[in-house]
Amino acid sequence: MPDERGEVIRFAPSPNGWLHLGHAYSALFAFETAKRLGGRFLLRIEDIDIGRCRPEYEQGIYDDLAWLGVEWERPVRRQSEHFADYERALKRLRDMGLAYPCFATRKEITDAIEASGVGLARWPVDPDGAPLYPGLYKDIPRAELNRLMWEGRTYAWRLDMEKALARAEEMNGGPLTFEETGEGPRGEKGLLPIDPMRFGDVVIARKDVPTSYHLAVTVDDAIQQVTMVTRGQDLFPATYVHRVLQVLLGLPAPRYRHHALIRDESGRRLSKSAKDMGLRELRAQGLAPADIRRMIGL
Ligand code: GLU
């Protein structure tokens, strides 16, 4: 049951491309769920990827959403302005002994997998399709670690998922679950178990920024007191990681409402590269918000 503050729901796009029909669906789904439940609606700009995010894309988000009739609270939280929050969370995980520096390049990872005898083709992948981290640099001796740091090699931070999950379960007094009020990709709903080992040792801070998607989302949803996370089913498994981080960092668990993804006529998922489905283009072609709603079945 929502408390007296009511529901807080957010739409959290990344300004690394123009919004397309899939975003329109997700934004309207979040906005209208908030409205229906008498809750608050927030927009959050997820711009930690400083190499790929651009100011014109961020402006495009504001323009497209306003055009669609979405209204959000100000000021908007922009993740790039809050790296200190994520650094604090990272430090806590490091102090708990659950994170380790990882110097590996992508090539080193694939080389290690090829050399393992299993081969890249048969190596397990995480829910995002990336090969599970083979553990390079995980248990290297202190002296070796110091040498790499002194050499100025750049490193990411990874969560030791096995240890992290065990610790989280201990802190939680049992296995972790989450409440799905929408539907997972296989129709999952209700109180669901998590399976974060499917991600292996995820990156919680990248080489170039002191956070990653998983850490920033978890910290922000708590700081912004989000009570219900609405997003596409592509991010359903990410919830497993977020729940582990929430418990370890002592953060409350929002409820989740995942929605099906919008697909084009051939059944393919829309992506940012599907330029013809860009809201900007459709708007320039003279379509109205009502046409967009029809196109996405709202
Ligand atoms: N920023 C993420 C994206 O653009 C969404 C984050 C979330 O809803 O958890 O896909």
Side-chain angles (χ1 to χ4, degrees):
M1 283 302 284
D3 62 22
E4 65 272 21
R5 277 180 297 117
E7 298 287 356
V8 181
I9 296 182
R10 74 346 185 243
F11 174 57
S14 300
N16 54 15
W18 304 110
L19 296 191
H20 54 65
L21 287 178
H23 292 111
Y25 183 85
S26 210
L28 288 167
F29 182 88
F31 177 60
E32 283 169 9
T33 304
K35 249 188 9 198
R36 199 175 53 247
L37 301 175
R40 294 168 53 202
F41 175 76
L42 311 176
L43 171 64
R44 182 166 75 225
I45 299 294
E46 303 219 318
D47 58 350
I48 59 165
D49 194 342
I50 41 189
R52 287 172 63 221
C53 292
R54 296 212 227 124
E56 57 269 36
Y57 292 142
E58 183 175 335
Q59 189 56 49
I61 291 172
Y62 302 137
D63 295 345
D64 289 341
L65 292 183
W67 176 71
L68 279 175
V70 173
E71 291 159 18
W72 59 94
E73 291 184 11
R74 268 83 166 177
V76 165
R77 184 172 171 94
R78 301 173 69 242
Q79 291 187 324
S80 60
E81 293 171 353
H82 298 278
F83 284 138
D85 290 330
Y86 315 131
E87 267 179 300
R88 253 192 307 278
L90 172 64
K91 175 153 191 323
R92 197 153 154 187
L93 297 167
R94 286 170 50 193
D95 289 347
M96 293 169 89
L98 301 175
Y100 63 93
C102 169
F103 299 83
T105 60
R106 222 162 275 197
K107 176 155 185 342
E108 268 182 281
I109 294 176
T110 38
D111 286 353
I113 292 171
E114 289 297 4
S116 71
V118 177
L120 203 52
R122 285 173 41 231
W123 191 263
V125 292
D126 73 17
D128 296 327
L132 282 191
Y133 185 62
L136 294 165
Y137 300 101
K138 186 167 181 172
D139 296 307
I140 56 172
R142 186 80 226 176
E144 168 79 351
L145 187 68
N146 288 344
R147 188 182 61 76
L148 291 165
M149 286 190 173
W150 274 107
E151 276 177 8
R153 292 269 305 267
T154 52
Y155 53 92
W157 285 93
R158 287 184 183 269
L159 191 68
D160 182 331
M161 191 57 91
E162 207 176 323
K163 261 201 219 166
L165 179 60
R167 184 68 164 279
E169 288 186 341
E170 191 185 300
M171 290 169 75
N172 188 54
L176 273 51
T177 54
F178 69 99
E179 196 183 335
E180 175 61 56
T181 65
E183 209 172 79
R186 295 198 188 90
E188 305 94 321
K189 57 175 70 167
L191 202 61
L192 302 176
I194 66 164
D195 187 8
M197 291 306 291
R198 281 182 58 198
F199 282 89
D201 290 355
V202 278
V203 169
I204 48 172
R206 297 159 33 148
K207 287 182 176 176
D208 55 344
V209 286
T211 186
S212 70
Y213 158 67
H214 295 299
L215 188 63
V217 159
T218 304
V219 168
D220 281 354
D221 283 338
I223 287 179
Q224 297 192 290
Q225 303 184 322
V226 170
T227 59
M228 184 185 283
V229 170
T230 65
R231 61 186 175 200
Q233 285 170 350
D234 52 333
L235 289 170
F236 179 84
T239 308
Y240 306 155
V241 177
H242 303 170
R243 284 294 297 125
V244 173
L245 293 174
Q246 283 157 4
V247 172
L248 294 174
L249 296 168
L251 306 174
R255 284 174 301 149
Y256 290 84
R257 187 169 291 193
H258 290 93
H259 62 73
L261 301 172
I262 297 290
R263 296 177 188 273
D264 65 14
E265 299 87 65
S266 60
R268 260 190 335 224
R269 238 180 84 186
L270 286 188
S271 75
K272 291 179 175 113
S273 55
K275 289 207 179 56
D276 48 336
M277 294 300 175
L279 293 180
R280 243 169 135 247
E281 276 87 351
L282 296 169
R283 182 148 54 102
Q285 287 167 25
L287 270 74
D291 301 317
I292 304 294
R293 284 177 172 275
R294 243 190 321 275
M295 288 170 83
I296 57 182
L298 278 176

mmCIF file of all heavy atoms in Angstrom, residues 10-16 23 26 44-47 79 213 217 221 229-232 234-235 238 242 256 272, ligand 1:
data_model
loop_
_atom_site.group_PDB
_atom_site.id
_atom_site.type_symbol
_atom_site.label_atom_id
_atom_site.label_comp_id
_atom_site.label_asym_id
_atom_site.label_seq_id
_atom_site.Cartn_x
_atom_site.Cartn_y
_atom_site.Cartn_z
ATOM 1 N N ARG A 10 9.307 7.302 -11.688
ATOM 2 C CA ARG A 10 10.212 8.088 -12.537
ATOM 3 C C ARG A 10 10.378 7.481 -13.933
ATOM 4 O O ARG A 10 10.174 6.292 -14.153
ATOM 5 C CB ARG A 10 11.561 8.290 -11.846
ATOM 6 C CG ARG A 10 12.624 7.193 -11.690
ATOM 7 C CD ARG A 10 12.262 5.801 -11.934
ATOM 8 N NE ARG A 10 13.286 4.827 -11.666
ATOM 9 C CZ ARG A 10 13.827 4.029 -12.598
ATOM 10 N NH1 ARG A 10 13.458 4.085 -13.862
ATOM 11 N NH2 ARG A 10 14.728 3.127 -12.260
ATOM 12 N N PHE A 11 10.740 8.354 -14.863
ATOM 13 C CA PHE A 11 11.183 7.915 -16.189
ATOM 14 C C PHE A 11 12.633 8.369 -16.274
ATOM 15 O O PHE A 11 12.937 9.525 -15.966
ATOM 16 C CB PHE A 11 10.326 8.565 -17.285
ATOM 17 C CG PHE A 11 10.807 8.288 -18.685
ATOM 18 C CD1 PHE A 11 10.941 6.981 -19.140
ATOM 19 C CD2 PHE A 11 11.120 9.328 -19.554
ATOM 20 C CE1 PHE A 11 11.397 6.716 -20.433
ATOM 21 C CE2 PHE A 11 11.570 9.079 -20.850
ATOM 22 C CZ PHE A 11 11.699 7.769 -21.285
ATOM 23 N N ALA A 12 13.528 7.448 -16.651
ATOM 24 C CA ALA A 12 14.964 7.739 -16.520
ATOM 25 C C ALA A 12 15.732 7.471 -17.813
ATOM 26 O O ALA A 12 16.496 6.515 -17.908
ATOM 27 C CB ALA A 12 15.528 6.884 -15.379
ATOM 28 N N PRO A 13 15.529 8.299 -18.829
ATOM 29 C CA PRO A 13 16.215 8.060 -20.100
ATOM 30 C C PRO A 13 17.680 8.488 -20.086
ATOM 31 O O PRO A 13 18.079 9.306 -19.260
ATOM 32 C CB PRO A 13 15.429 8.938 -21.080
ATOM 33 C CG PRO A 13 14.934 10.074 -20.245
ATOM 34 C CD PRO A 13 14.685 9.507 -18.872
ATOM 35 N N SER A 14 18.445 7.915 -20.990
ATOM 36 C CA SER A 14 19.849 8.305 -21.164
ATOM 37 C C SER A 14 19.939 9.172 -22.418
ATOM 38 O O SER A 14 19.488 8.750 -23.481
ATOM 39 C CB SER A 14 20.720 7.067 -21.343
ATOM 40 O OG SER A 14 20.603 6.239 -20.221
ATOM 41 N N PRO A 15 20.531 10.357 -22.311
ATOM 42 C CA PRO A 15 20.596 11.250 -23.482
ATOM 43 C C PRO A 15 21.738 10.892 -24.439
ATOM 44 O O PRO A 15 22.618 11.692 -24.711
ATOM 45 C CB PRO A 15 20.803 12.635 -22.846
ATOM 46 C CG PRO A 15 21.496 12.362 -21.557
ATOM 47 C CD PRO A 15 21.058 10.993 -21.101
ATOM 48 N N ASN A 16 21.695 9.648 -24.938
ATOM 49 C CA ASN A 16 22.741 9.237 -25.881
ATOM 50 C C ASN A 16 22.151 8.951 -27.268
ATOM 51 O O ASN A 16 22.737 8.234 -28.072
ATOM 52 C CB ASN A 16 23.515 8.033 -25.340
ATOM 53 C CG ASN A 16 22.596 6.890 -24.966
ATOM 54 O OD1 ASN A 16 21.431 6.879 -25.362
ATOM 55 N ND2 ASN A 16 23.093 5.940 -24.207
ATOM 56 N N HIS A 23 10.575 4.753 -26.174
ATOM 57 C CA HIS A 23 10.682 5.696 -25.050
ATOM 58 C C HIS A 23 9.336 6.361 -24.769
ATOM 59 O O HIS A 23 8.975 6.600 -23.628
ATOM 60 C CB HIS A 23 11.692 6.808 -25.355
ATOM 61 C CG HIS A 23 13.103 6.338 -25.438
ATOM 62 N ND1 HIS A 23 13.799 6.321 -26.625
ATOM 63 C CD2 HIS A 23 13.948 5.877 -24.493
ATOM 64 C CE1 HIS A 23 15.023 5.864 -26.395
ATOM 65 N NE2 HIS A 23 15.142 5.590 -25.110
ATOM 66 N N SER A 26 7.291 4.082 -22.745
ATOM 67 C CA SER A 26 7.800 3.960 -21.381
ATOM 68 C C SER A 26 7.504 5.225 -20.561
ATOM 69 O O SER A 26 7.111 5.147 -19.391
ATOM 70 C CB SER A 26 9.309 3.717 -21.445
ATOM 71 O OG SER A 26 9.730 2.951 -20.365
ATOM 72 N N ARG A 44 14.391 11.715 -14.742
ATOM 73 C CA ARG A 44 15.808 11.686 -14.336
ATOM 74 C C ARG A 44 16.673 11.485 -15.579
ATOM 75 O O ARG A 44 16.368 10.619 -16.410
ATOM 76 C CB ARG A 44 16.044 10.536 -13.350
ATOM 77 C CG ARG A 44 17.473 10.490 -12.860
ATOM 78 C CD ARG A 44 17.618 9.588 -11.658
ATOM 79 N NE ARG A 44 17.559 8.182 -11.989
ATOM 80 C CZ ARG A 44 16.859 7.273 -11.313
ATOM 81 N NH1 ARG A 44 16.141 7.615 -10.264
ATOM 82 N NH2 ARG A 44 16.885 6.006 -11.671
ATOM 83 N N ILE A 45 17.692 12.286 -15.699
ATOM 84 C CA ILE A 45 18.574 12.193 -16.856
ATOM 85 C C ILE A 45 19.768 11.314 -16.489
ATOM 86 O O ILE A 45 20.578 11.664 -15.632
ATOM 87 C CB ILE A 45 19.040 13.603 -17.298
ATOM 88 C CG1 ILE A 45 17.827 14.476 -17.692
ATOM 89 C CG2 ILE A 45 20.043 13.517 -18.441
ATOM 90 C CD1 ILE A 45 17.066 14.019 -18.923
ATOM 91 N N GLU A 46 19.879 10.159 -17.139
ATOM 92 C CA GLU A 46 20.929 9.196 -16.802
ATOM 93 C C GLU A 46 22.110 9.392 -17.757
ATOM 94 O O GLU A 46 22.256 8.700 -18.764
ATOM 95 C CB GLU A 46 20.365 7.778 -16.858
ATOM 96 C CG GLU A 46 19.163 7.636 -15.930
ATOM 97 C CD GLU A 46 19.087 6.316 -15.186
ATOM 98 O OE1 GLU A 46 19.360 5.275 -15.791
ATOM 99 O OE2 GLU A 46 18.740 6.344 -13.983
ATOM 100 N N ASP A 47 22.924 10.380 -17.403
ATOM 101 C CA ASP A 47 23.995 10.804 -18.312
ATOM 102 C C ASP A 47 25.381 10.511 -17.753
ATOM 103 O O ASP A 47 26.288 11.331 -17.860
ATOM 104 C CB ASP A 47 23.848 12.306 -18.609
ATOM 105 C CG ASP A 47 23.878 13.155 -17.340
ATOM 106 O OD1 ASP A 47 23.817 12.579 -16.238
ATOM 107 O OD2 ASP A 47 23.966 14.391 -17.447
ATOM 108 N N GLN A 79 22.358 12.731 -13.476
ATOM 109 C CA GLN A 79 23.321 11.884 -12.760
ATOM 110 C C GLN A 79 24.743 12.426 -12.794
ATOM 111 O O GLN A 79 25.487 12.262 -11.835
ATOM 112 C CB GLN A 79 23.274 10.457 -13.318
ATOM 113 C CG GLN A 79 21.969 9.758 -12.971
ATOM 114 C CD GLN A 79 21.955 8.294 -13.354
ATOM 115 O OE1 GLN A 79 22.516 7.915 -14.377
ATOM 116 N NE2 GLN A 79 21.287 7.472 -12.555
ATOM 117 N N TYR A 213 25.702 1.943 -14.495
ATOM 118 C CA TYR A 213 24.238 2.020 -14.545
ATOM 119 C C TYR A 213 23.630 1.446 -13.256
ATOM 120 O O TYR A 213 22.795 2.082 -12.609
ATOM 121 C CB TYR A 213 23.712 1.266 -15.782
ATOM 122 C CG TYR A 213 22.270 0.846 -15.639
ATOM 123 C CD1 TYR A 213 21.250 1.792 -15.594
ATOM 124 C CD2 TYR A 213 21.931 -0.502 -15.490
ATOM 125 C CE1 TYR A 213 19.931 1.413 -15.406
ATOM 126 C CE2 TYR A 213 20.610 -0.887 -15.308
ATOM 127 C CZ TYR A 213 19.613 0.072 -15.262
ATOM 128 O OH TYR A 213 18.325 -0.312 -15.070
ATOM 129 N N VAL A 217 21.523 3.876 -10.632
ATOM 130 C CA VAL A 217 20.064 3.691 -10.577
ATOM 131 C C VAL A 217 19.626 3.356 -9.149
ATOM 132 O O VAL A 217 18.648 3.900 -8.639
ATOM 133 C CB VAL A 217 19.637 2.558 -11.546
ATOM 134 C CG1 VAL A 217 18.291 1.987 -11.161
ATOM 135 C CG2 VAL A 217 19.578 3.070 -12.961
ATOM 136 N N ASP A 221 17.292 5.955 -7.103
ATOM 137 C CA ASP A 221 15.911 5.592 -6.769
ATOM 138 C C ASP A 221 15.687 5.771 -5.270
ATOM 139 O O ASP A 221 14.599 6.185 -4.851
ATOM 140 C CB ASP A 221 15.595 4.160 -7.222
ATOM 141 C CG ASP A 221 15.359 4.080 -8.729
ATOM 142 O OD1 ASP A 221 15.023 5.123 -9.341
ATOM 143 O OD2 ASP A 221 15.509 2.991 -9.315
ATOM 144 N N VAL A 229 9.260 1.416 -9.509
ATOM 145 C CA VAL A 229 10.110 1.530 -10.684
ATOM 146 C C VAL A 229 9.352 0.948 -11.869
ATOM 147 O O VAL A 229 9.034 -0.241 -11.886
ATOM 148 C CB VAL A 229 11.440 0.767 -10.474
ATOM 149 C CG1 VAL A 229 12.224 0.678 -11.784
ATOM 150 C CG2 VAL A 229 12.276 1.431 -9.386
ATOM 151 N N THR A 230 9.035 1.804 -12.833
ATOM 152 C CA THR A 230 8.409 1.322 -14.063
ATOM 153 C C THR A 230 9.468 1.387 -15.153
ATOM 154 O O THR A 230 10.210 2.365 -15.247
ATOM 155 C CB THR A 230 7.200 2.192 -14.477
ATOM 156 O OG1 THR A 230 7.664 3.498 -14.801
ATOM 157 C CG2 THR A 230 6.157 2.282 -13.383
ATOM 158 N N ARG A 231 9.584 0.356 -15.936
ATOM 159 C CA ARG A 231 10.544 0.337 -17.055
ATOM 160 C C ARG A 231 10.287 -0.888 -17.906
ATOM 161 O O ARG A 231 9.487 -1.760 -17.553
ATOM 162 C CB ARG A 231 11.980 0.355 -16.519
ATOM 163 C CG ARG A 231 12.322 -0.831 -15.655
ATOM 164 C CD ARG A 231 13.721 -0.671 -15.044
ATOM 165 N NE ARG A 231 13.989 -1.753 -14.117
ATOM 166 C CZ ARG A 231 14.899 -1.714 -13.171
ATOM 167 N NH1 ARG A 231 15.659 -0.633 -13.019
ATOM 168 N NH2 ARG A 231 15.108 -2.736 -12.374
ATOM 169 N N GLY A 232 10.998 -0.966 -19.031
ATOM 170 C CA GLY A 232 10.780 -2.055 -19.986
ATOM 171 C C GLY A 232 11.281 -3.395 -19.456
ATOM 172 O O GLY A 232 12.150 -3.454 -18.587
ATOM 173 N N ASP A 234 13.192 -5.366 -20.764
ATOM 174 C CA ASP A 234 14.610 -5.628 -21.024
ATOM 175 C C ASP A 234 15.440 -5.429 -19.753
ATOM 176 O O ASP A 234 16.514 -6.004 -19.615
ATOM 177 C CB ASP A 234 15.139 -4.736 -22.161
ATOM 178 C CG ASP A 234 14.844 -3.261 -21.952
ATOM 179 O OD1 ASP A 234 13.848 -2.927 -21.261
ATOM 180 O OD2 ASP A 234 15.604 -2.423 -22.473
ATOM 181 N N LEU A 235 14.938 -4.620 -18.830
ATOM 182 C CA LEU A 235 15.680 -4.351 -17.594
ATOM 183 C C LEU A 235 15.200 -5.207 -16.416
ATOM 184 O O LEU A 235 15.651 -5.019 -15.292
ATOM 185 C CB LEU A 235 15.611 -2.851 -17.252
ATOM 186 C CG LEU A 235 16.435 -1.980 -18.205
ATOM 187 C CD1 LEU A 235 16.139 -0.504 -17.995
ATOM 188 C CD2 LEU A 235 17.922 -2.241 -18.029
ATOM 189 N N ALA A 238 17.956 -6.909 -14.504
ATOM 190 C CA ALA A 238 18.812 -5.939 -13.796
ATOM 191 C C ALA A 238 18.319 -5.741 -12.362
ATOM 192 O O ALA A 238 19.093 -5.416 -11.462
ATOM 193 C CB ALA A 238 18.831 -4.607 -14.547
ATOM 194 N N HIS A 242 20.034 -4.882 -8.632
ATOM 195 C CA HIS A 242 19.618 -3.708 -7.849
ATOM 196 C C HIS A 242 19.166 -4.108 -6.446
ATOM 197 O O HIS A 242 19.428 -3.407 -5.474
ATOM 198 C CB HIS A 242 18.519 -2.936 -8.597
ATOM 199 C CG HIS A 242 18.969 -2.509 -9.973
ATOM 200 N ND1 HIS A 242 18.138 -1.980 -10.912
ATOM 201 C CD2 HIS A 242 20.194 -2.572 -10.554
ATOM 202 C CE1 HIS A 242 18.835 -1.730 -12.017
ATOM 203 N NE2 HIS A 242 20.071 -2.088 -11.813
ATOM 204 N N TYR A 256 8.210 -2.915 -8.342
ATOM 205 C CA TYR A 256 8.589 -2.846 -9.754
ATOM 206 C C TYR A 256 7.376 -3.096 -10.635
ATOM 207 O O TYR A 256 6.494 -3.869 -10.279
ATOM 208 C CB TYR A 256 9.695 -3.881 -10.053
ATOM 209 C CG TYR A 256 11.003 -3.474 -9.400
ATOM 210 C CD1 TYR A 256 11.258 -3.782 -8.061
ATOM 211 C CD2 TYR A 256 11.947 -2.721 -10.090
ATOM 212 C CE1 TYR A 256 12.426 -3.366 -7.441
ATOM 213 C CE2 TYR A 256 13.120 -2.293 -9.478
ATOM 214 C CZ TYR A 256 13.353 -2.618 -8.154
ATOM 215 O OH TYR A 256 14.504 -2.187 -7.542
ATOM 216 N N LYS A 272 17.518 2.785 -30.567
ATOM 217 C CA LYS A 272 17.789 4.179 -30.902
ATOM 218 C C LYS A 272 18.216 4.331 -32.349
ATOM 219 O O LYS A 272 18.184 5.406 -32.899
ATOM 220 C CB LYS A 272 18.855 4.724 -29.966
ATOM 221 C CG LYS A 272 18.305 4.855 -28.574
ATOM 222 C CD LYS A 272 19.334 5.376 -27.608
ATOM 223 C CE LYS A 272 18.687 5.595 -26.282
ATOM 224 N NZ LYS A 272 19.152 4.702 -25.240
HETATM 225 N N1 GLU B 1 18.561 4.818 -18.232
HETATM 226 C C1 GLU B 1 18.046 3.518 -18.558
HETATM 227 C C2 GLU B 1 17.749 3.446 -20.043
HETATM 228 O O1 GLU B 1 17.829 4.408 -20.742
HETATM 229 C C3 GLU B 1 16.764 3.189 -17.795
HETATM 230 C C4 GLU B 1 16.987 3.097 -16.330
HETATM 231 C C5 GLU B 1 15.886 2.434 -15.534
HETATM 232 O O2 GLU B 1 14.706 2.679 -15.780
HETATM 233 O O3 GLU B 1 16.228 1.676 -14.644
HETATM 234 O O4 GLU B 1 17.466 2.392 -20.555
#
